[in-house]
Amino acid sequence: MDDYWWIETGVPSDEKNSGCIRYSVTSYSYSQIKKSVWKLYRTRTDRADLSCYDKMLLWAISERFRVRSMSCTDAVGYLAKMIGVSRKTAGKSMRKLVDNNIIWLAEEGSERKAHRKLEARKYFKKHILIVGLSFELVDG
């Protein structure tokens, strides 16, 4: 858990708009966490500012969400194949989801480090965090 800086012992500031997770909710059951992930997905598919590619990418992230790390660690290329688009299209959709504060791109490690976009040939262990998940689990 030391490498997952987004899992905090206290309550994250502005929890509804944060990708950080309370440590206490990591002990929730798999079904409770996945239920909240899918609930957040459904509430975000109503947004008119997201394209169909953005919504499909969000579906893929929700489908591949891992409870152990409270994130999705799949490569953009894998997610692109999963939804049947090019890696470039998936990258644009990921950027749009980050810009709209729907997901966060976090770098694994003890140092708190997030990214606005994925740069070419810069390799790091990335995690895709769903914004508002901790709030949904506790108050939703």
Side-chain angles (χ1 to χ4, degrees), residues 51-61 75-95 97:
S51 71
C52 61
Y53 300 121
D54 304 336
K55 294 173 186 178
M56 288 189 324
L57 184 66
L58 187 58
W59 170 82
I61 292 167
V76 177
Y78 180 82
L79 295 171
K81 283 183 181 179
M82 195 174 166
I83 61 175
V85 298
S86 70
R87 189 196 179 290
K88 187 174 181 179
T89 302
K92 287 179 184 177
S93 291
M94 187 163 291
R95 174 72 187 250
L97 292 173

Side-chain angles (χ1 to χ4, degrees), residues 68-132:
R68 184 179 176 275
S69 64
M70 299 301 275
S71 65
C72 173
T73 59
D74 292 326
V76 177
Y78 180 82
L79 295 171
K81 283 183 181 179
M82 195 174 166
I83 61 175
V85 298
S86 70
R87 189 196 179 290
K88 187 174 181 179
T89 302
K92 287 179 184 177
S93 291
M94 187 163 291
R95 174 72 187 250
K96 192 167 183 183
L97 292 173
V98 169
D99 289 344
N100 287 319
N101 202 32
I102 295 172
I103 62 171
W104 282 8
L105 296 175
E107 186 172 336
E108 186 175 308
S110 57
E111 181 183 336
R112 190 178 182 98
K113 194 170 186 183
H115 297 268
R116 298 289 300 158
K117 65 178 184 172
L118 295 174
E119 298 173 26
R121 291 183 250 338
K122 183 178 180 202
Y123 301 104
F124 61 90
K125 181 73 173 173
K126 73 160 177 17
H127 292 262
I128 304 168
L129 313 176
I130 299 175
V131 172

Side-chain angles (χ1 to χ4, degrees), residues 24-88:
S24 60
V25 301
T26 59
S27 62
Y28 285 16
S29 71
Y30 176 83
S31 60
Q32 273 182 298
I33 294 171
K34 285 298 267 191
K35 180 180 174 184
S36 293
V37 167
W38 286 112
K39 187 174 180 184
L40 283 172
Y41 166 75
R42 284 190 305 276
T43 59
R44 288 168 178 159
T45 54
D46 293 340
R47 294 178 58 150
D49 61 333
L50 297 179
S51 71
C52 61
Y53 300 121
D54 304 336
K55 294 173 186 178
M56 288 189 324
L57 184 66
L58 187 58
W59 170 82
I61 292 167
S62 299
E63 178 68 28
R64 300 290 296 164
F65 189 83
R66 290 181 175 86
V67 174
R68 184 179 176 275
S69 64
M70 299 301 275
S71 65
C72 173
T73 59
D74 292 326
V76 177
Y78 180 82
L79 295 171
K81 283 183 181 179
M82 195 174 166
I83 61 175
V85 298
S86 70
R87 189 196 179 290
K88 187 174 181 179

